[in-house]
Amino acid sequence: MNIHEYQAKQVLKGYGAPVADGVAITSADQAEAAAKQLPGPLYVVKSQIHAGGRGKGKFKELGADAKGGVRLAFSIEEAVAHAKEMLGNTLVTAQTGEAGKQVNRLYIEDGADIARELYCSLLVDRSVGQTAFVVSTEGGMDIEEVAHATPEKIHTIAINPEAGVTAENVAAINAALELTGDAAEDGKSLFPILYKAFVEKDMDMLEINPLIVMENGHLRVLDAKVSFDGNALYRHEDIRALRDETEEDAKEIEASKWDLAYVALDGNIGCMVNGAGLAMATMDIIKLYGKEPANFC
Ligand code: ADP
Ligand code: MG
């Protein structure tokens, strides 16, 4: 299950991670009051959809010259103008597919003075059977591109589940991210916090891109993308409450009510198969013959 950036930040804030103040809104009328709650003078208006690449995304209804799905505003008036232009329109990013996603919610956030943009994620690394931090100094951009062009800039630090995040682990992450001074000090608390949140909430993936070093030398979580293990949701009522069904495929929602493992796909050959291995093989055969499956079931 995926959640929105502003929800992910609330979860992380609950664990003590440094995130900016922000207010989520669903109508442009709320924009002014939301921005007034923030210190200013820099505001950021961020589309809340379950997909990344929003900053570089384009709104279908607006011209090619229009700004993307994450916009800086230098006054409350400008933040309100962005909100009016963005809400209700369809944002197409590298992760949404051509159809894009309708922006029904915005997060108006305090703007940060950014010195460096870093990449920090947590995932279950199956090759070592442990949760691992994957970090890079090359944050704020497409990490797949970094992994492809400069794989040496991606560092993986696996965490022993019995020991948790040790001082050695933190030192390794700090070194990989080239953190010094206050930022390295912040890392000592932040990295164990992220690991705790990941494990306790049964996350599948926690991606912070970018994690920033601010001009004042401190760390801040600037973006947060979190997905949870669906099989563990039964024990997290608080996380289940964050589900936004408008972001999900209606067919998948219906299937989940019946406990079916169903994934909607783009093709037109329906598959009802017994067993995941056979279902995968069936999809492979369909593709081998040049057609596209409509679903995995
Ligand atoms: P996405 O990854 O979907 O494009 P991000 O939240 O990473 O969205 O935002 C894109 C970029 O916008 C960031 O890399 C950062 O440069 C800038 N940005 C985002 N939030 C803020 C903020 N609160 N203050 C200043 N800049 C921001
Ligand atoms: Mg990002």
Side-chain angles (χ1 to χ4, degrees):
M1 187 188 96
N2 297 319
I3 58 173
H4 290 293
E5 172 201 4
Y6 79 95
Q7 297 170 319
K9 285 179 170 170
Q10 269 158 19
V11 171
L12 295 178
K13 192 177 177 186
Y15 281 88
V19 301
D21 291 334
V23 183
I25 62 168
T26 51
S27 98
D29 310 340
Q30 301 164 332
E32 187 175 349
K36 278 187 175 154
Q37 291 178 53
L38 303 174
L42 181 62
Y43 307 86
V44 186
V45 185
K46 310 185 78 174
S47 306
Q48 298 298 294
I49 55 171
H50 285 184
R54 298 162 299 166
K56 294 204 178 88
K58 287 283 169 204
F59 284 99
K60 263 192 177 171
E61 297 83 354
L62 309 177
D65 295 337
K67 295 206 171 80
V70 174
R71 301 179 176 189
L72 299 184
F74 298 89
S75 67
I76 290 183
E77 296 69 43
E78 197 185 348
V80 172
H82 283 318
K84 281 190 181 142
E85 195 174 280
M86 294 161 77
L87 268 174
N89 282 331
T90 313
L91 186 61
V92 180
T93 82
Q95 294 182 12
T96 59
E98 269 175 38
K101 287 204 162 209
Q102 191 176 44
V103 176
N104 299 317
R105 203 179 292 261
L106 297 172
Y107 191 46
I108 304 190
E109 192 180 62
D110 181 31
D113 292 321
I114 304 174
R116 295 174 62 211
E117 298 203 8
L118 314 168
Y119 178 90
C120 174
S121 68
L122 268 160
L123 44 78
V124 178
D125 185 340
R126 283 158 216 275
S127 65
V128 289
Q130 293 180 341
T131 299
F133 281 89
V134 176
V135 300
S136 175
T137 52
E138 310 304 299
M141 48 186 100
D142 186 351
I143 199 66
E144 279 80 17
E145 184 55 38
V146 177
H148 182 71
T150 48
E152 71 281 1
K153 291 192 169 161
I154 308 246
H155 301 267
T156 302
I157 294 107
I159 306 300
N160 181 317
E162 286 183 3
V165 182
T166 62
E168 287 74 28
N169 294 148
V170 170
I173 299 168
N174 277 343
L177 292 176
E178 298 170 12
L179 298 180
T180 55
D182 287 338
E185 247 347 273
D186 290 351
K188 286 181 188 169
S189 59
L190 178 61
F191 301 124
I193 279 174
L194 297 178
Y195 180 79
K196 187 166 194 271
F198 184 92
V199 173
E200 279 187 8
K201 297 294 182 193
D202 289 305
M203 294 177 186
D204 257 346
M205 194 202 60
L206 165 57
E207 184 179 58
I208 299 172
N209 187 21
L211 169 69
I212 59 161
V213 181
M214 294 189 288
E215 292 290 354
N216 69 11
H218 287 281
L219 292 180
R220 181 179 275 181
V221 171
L222 211 68
D223 188 10
K225 205 162 166 235
V226 175
S227 66
F228 298 89
D229 179 354
N231 293 314
L233 280 174
Y234 72 93
R235 58 184 183 191
H236 299 293
E237 201 183 338
D238 56 336
I239 300 299
R240 284 202 309 273
L242 302 179
R243 187 166 179 184
D244 180 355
E245 293 197 344
T246 65
E247 287 286 325
E248 297 177 24
D249 186 285
K251 298 187 291 296
E252 291 185 8
I253 294 169
E254 184 63 21
S256 74
K257 290 181 190 153
W258 300 91
D259 244 341
L260 292 170
Y262 180 96
V263 180
L265 300 169
D266 293 333
N268 61 355
I269 298 182
C271 300
M272 190 165 72
V273 188
N274 124 10
L278 191 54
M280 295 297 281
T282 305
M283 297 203 310
D284 281 349
I285 291 169
I286 291 171
K287 286 206 162 247
L288 188 64
Y289 281 85
K291 300 294 178 189
E292 294 291 329
N295 68 286
F296 169 101
C297 182

